[in-house]
Amino acid sequence: MTSCVSMAAAGGYVSVAALSSHILRIRIGPAPLKPRSSWAVVMEDRPQVAVAVSETPQEMMLATDGLRVTVRRQDLHLTIARADGAPVLEDALPGAEFPPGGGTALTKRLQADTRLYGLGQRMGFLDKRGETVTMWATDDPLHHPGRDALYQAIPFVLALQPGGAYGIFLDSPAFTQFDLGKTQSDRLRIQTAESELDYYVIVADSPKGVLNGYSELTGRTPLPPRWSLGYQQCRWSYYPEERVREVAREFRSRQIPCDVIYLDIDHMDGYRVFTWDQGRFPDPAQLVADLRAQGFRVVTIVDPGVKADPAYSVFQEGLAGRHFMTTPDGEVYIGKVWPGPAAFPDFLQESTRRWWGRQHAQLLHLGVAGIWNDMNEPANFTDASVTGQFKGTVPGTLLQGEAECKQPHALVHNLYGLAMASATTAALQELRPKERPFLVTRSGYAGIQRYAAVWMGDNHSWWEHLLQAVPMCLGMGLSGVPFVGTDCGGFSGDATAELLVRWTQLGAFTPFFRNHSAAGTRSQEPWAFGPETEALVADAIRLRYRFLPYLYTLFAEARRTGLPVMRPLLLEYPDDERTHNLSDQFLLGEDLLVAPVYQPGAVTRMVYLPRGEWVDYWTGALYPGGQYTVADAPLHRIPLFVRQGAILPLGPVVQHTGEPAKSLTFDIFGSGAGHVYEDDGASMDYLAGDWSITRVTSRVEAGRTLVTVQPPEGKYRPVRSEVLLRLRNHRAPAAVTADGHPLSWRLEGNDLVVAVAVLDGTEQLLVEISGR
Ligand code: MIG
């Protein structure tokens, strides 16, 4: 049996395949469809999906357990409905248009209430309906509000409408535009420069369901090394090595937690990738080892441009191995980036990916812990004569790909960062098979989440960009990429003390948490603005470390489900219209509502609390949901609310993640449930079952509270000295017992803290707290 139907008609050639009961692949082209490989899609065509195919002279139909697809023979017009007949998505025009100038387009009808999200890295608010957006990886150093294409190009749109949700992923790495109801308010039009359409439709009951399907299709983020969830310090650039050592010393002597220090481009010899400036860094191995002894990891930048210097071995090897992109005449193309004249590896060639990957051996040999890929759109300092889409990048006519199937760069542009990331991550895995790789990238395409964390590039030290950080990161999450963050404090321009405090408070709750700033701007290390600011910034960083067990548990969930760590409220409350374009607050997982302050001088801010009850994390005050409230936000506090019913796993403040975190606290908010996921945080052993999940439930009854700690599931057992239950808003109890034996307790502010036994057996622990 086949899960696919195909046919030719006046409108061209079409094939419709069911990858699962709710995921369809649709291809339409002007010529017979040839097999086509994808860089984004990892989901196998599953022939076992049950489909029923039928035909009439007018139509061809394909039905799965969940969907019914009808294709009109006359013009390939396509309709998708649920199994019960409820319409989901319908073409507004023939199934595909082939404009005379080249390219292909599809046009779908939009229902009046449909909201449109995702679409990769974008300026502006969450709902993109009414806009036109472009997919074209671009190094844009000025993210003004009207900017369209930025570094990440992810041609995926997530639609929320009454009664359900769907996603459309057009698998095209060429120049692509989505008209999201701008030209005609009831039409979604997608146009690519490619000559055929290859797109996927994912249908679900909710946005979560769509993300589930989309991430099954394009892959999920493996668990990152735990250290990469710690605080990270960057600057363009820290050099010479004494400066790096000084930064490290400051963190430790001031007791400000930090896990990573970055080396930006000035560590290299004349910006030659994979080299070191001997004067500035005479002994990188020793430097890295000394920092490691203090608990720091070092991440170095690797740009794709290879200096066109005949005496430079990487350039020589690249030429000899035919690794660089060439003009149609076969000449190696020389552009211009930091090292001056430079050649660009063609990562669409497998031999090039392996060659490039091998270069990393030198860095890893020196002890470098992770890699930072920049300039991989690829950026190119073009002159004023280049305008339009090729401004700032390489010419579209360059040839890329394996010898037998070269393609013009124009058609594969958006793959550059993804293919470079795939080469890098594969190399890290191969060179250090026992360790989880860490890569952070600027550019990417659909599927980038499988290889790298993504930071949002060159923002400014502007309050407007602090605010913009929220929907930008959320939009990436709605595009399948959970491991995201922004340059805290802002990259270009000068931070102020207050901006740094507020941005660090936000950054503490973004998955990737790095402070970075541009050359020539004011320093913005935590201590750069004096002791008062330092204390506030340090507190925000410490709070991050307290929340690490919760954050890590969310990464484990992201790996299983594809759901983002940092979530817009609409993901959890899609039927609450007030969440639909709520772009200045977010949820970390399901339980923690984060409302950053993004205005100078503000000491309160409006927060929307969705249905249920919410507890002010700082005061313990309980608020009914389904309403706006004005939260207190003095400079030392970022408004945080916890869902009543949550149980959050929290850790101790450590100076870096390598310090043993032997104590685990379950913060208990009323009757509810929670869990913690744990593993060694570093190796691949979790893939072989070396992990654990500990579940806790609580029940508040008249006169007593019962808390159950389940024995851990899974093989992994952390080194642990204490487990604490913290019952928020609890008075002194009459008695606390575990299976009849008294337990010691103490009051801390409004909270009752109970120390319980560390569980490693198979028995559950039942704690009874009597008297409220
Ligand atoms: O053209 O390596 O986004 O983070 O510090 C600027 C220097 C090149 C851009 C990156 C930024 C980095 C900077 N790079």
Side-chain angles (χ1 to χ4, degrees), residues 236 264-265 301 338 372 374-375 442 455 458 491 516:
W236 177 16
D264 203 330
I265 48 177
I301 196 167
W338 290 106
W372 170 21
D374 186 22
M375 305 289 280
R442 194 168 73 174
W455 102 103
D458 298 345
F491 176 73
H516 182 38

Coordinates of all heavy atoms in Angstrom, one line a residue, residues 236 264-265 301 338 372 374-375 442 455 458 491 516, ligand 1:
W236 N 33.0 41.7 22.4 CA 33.8 41.8 21.2 C 34.9 42.8 21.5 O 34.6 44.0 21.4 CB 32.9 42.2 20.0 CG 33.6 42.4 18.7 CD1 34.9 42.0 18.4 CD2 33.1 43.2 17.6 NE1 35.1 42.4 17.1 CE2 34.1 43.1 16.6 CE3 31.9 43.8 17.3 CZ2 33.9 43.7 15.4 CZ3 31.7 44.4 16.1 CH2 32.7 44.4 15.1
D264 N 35.8 36.3 21.0 CA 35.3 36.8 19.7 C 36.5 36.9 18.7 O 37.6 36.4 19.0 CB 34.6 38.1 20.0 CG 33.6 38.5 18.9 OD1 33.8 38.1 17.7 OD2 32.6 39.2 19.2
I265 N 36.2 37.5 17.6 CA 37.2 37.4 16.5 C 38.6 37.8 16.7 O 39.5 37.4 16.0 CB 36.7 38.1 15.2 CG1 36.2 39.5 15.6 CG2 35.5 37.3 14.6 CD1 35.7 40.3 14.3
I301 N 34.7 31.8 18.7 CA 33.9 32.1 17.5 C 34.6 31.4 16.2 O 35.8 31.3 16.2 CB 33.9 33.6 17.3 CG1 32.8 34.0 16.3 CG2 35.2 34.2 16.8 CD1 32.4 35.5 16.3
W338 N 35.8 39.9 7.7 CA 36.8 40.4 8.6 C 38.3 40.3 8.2 O 39.1 41.2 8.3 CB 36.6 39.9 10.0 CG 35.3 40.5 10.5 CD1 34.1 39.9 10.7 CD2 35.1 41.9 10.9 NE1 33.1 40.8 11.1 CE2 33.7 42.0 11.2 CE3 35.9 43.0 11.0 CZ2 33.2 43.2 11.7 CZ3 35.4 44.2 11.4 CH2 34.0 44.3 11.7
W372 N 31.0 28.9 18.4 CA 30.0 30.0 18.2 C 30.2 30.3 16.7 O 31.2 30.8 16.2 CB 30.4 31.2 19.0 CG 29.8 32.5 18.7 CD1 28.6 32.8 18.1 CD2 30.3 33.8 19.2 NE1 28.4 34.1 18.1 CE2 29.4 34.8 18.7 CE3 31.4 34.2 19.9 CZ2 29.6 36.1 18.9 CZ3 31.6 35.6 20.1 CH2 30.7 36.5 19.6
D374 N 29.2 32.6 13.5 CA 28.7 33.9 13.2 C 28.9 34.1 11.7 O 29.5 33.3 11.0 CB 29.6 34.9 14.0 CG 29.1 36.4 13.9 OD1 27.9 36.6 13.6 OD2 29.9 37.3 14.1
M375 N 28.3 35.2 11.2 CA 28.5 35.6 9.8 C 28.1 34.5 8.8 O 28.5 34.5 7.6 CB 30.0 35.9 9.6 CG 30.5 37.0 10.5 SD 29.9 38.6 10.2 CE 30.9 39.2 8.9
R442 N 24.2 32.0 14.5 CA 23.4 33.2 14.2 C 22.4 32.9 13.1 O 21.2 33.3 13.2 CB 24.3 34.4 13.7 CG 23.6 35.7 13.7 CD 24.5 36.9 13.6 NE 25.1 37.0 12.2 CZ 25.8 38.0 11.8 NH1 26.1 39.0 12.7 NH2 26.3 38.1 10.6
W455 N 21.3 32.6 18.9 CA 21.1 33.9 19.5 C 20.6 34.9 18.4 O 20.8 34.7 17.3 CB 22.3 34.4 20.3 CG 23.2 35.4 19.6 CD1 23.3 36.7 19.9 CD2 24.1 35.1 18.6 NE1 24.2 37.3 19.1 CE2 24.7 36.4 18.3 CE3 24.5 34.0 17.8 CZ2 25.7 36.5 17.3 CZ3 25.5 34.2 16.8 CH2 26.1 35.4 16.5
D458 N 22.6 41.0 16.3 CA 23.1 42.3 16.7 C 21.9 43.3 17.1 O 21.5 44.2 16.3 CB 23.9 43.0 15.6 CG 25.2 42.2 15.4 OD1 25.5 41.3 16.2 OD2 25.8 42.4 14.3
F491 N 23.8 44.7 22.2 CA 25.1 44.6 21.6 C 25.6 45.9 21.2 O 26.6 46.4 21.7 CB 24.9 43.6 20.3 CG 26.1 43.5 19.5 CD1 27.2 42.7 19.9 CD2 26.2 44.1 18.2 CE1 28.3 42.6 19.1 CE2 27.3 43.9 17.4 CZ 28.4 43.2 17.9
H516 N 26.5 40.2 26.0 CA 27.4 40.4 24.9 C 27.3 41.9 24.5 O 26.3 42.5 24.6 CB 27.1 39.5 23.8 CG 28.1 39.6 22.6 ND1 29.4 39.8 22.7 CD2 27.9 39.6 21.3 CE1 30.0 39.9 21.5 NE2 29.1 39.7 20.6
Ligands
MIG1 O1 30.4 42.1 11.7 O2 32.6 39.0 15.6 O3 26.6 39.2 15.6 O4 28.0 39.0 18.0 O5 30.5 40.2 18.2 C1 30.3 41.9 13.1 C2 32.2 40.3 15.8 C3 30.7 40.5 13.4 C4 28.6 40.0 14.5 C5 28.0 39.2 15.7 C6 28.6 39.7 17.0 C7 30.1 39.6 17.0 C8 30.7 40.4 15.8 N1 30.1 39.9 14.6

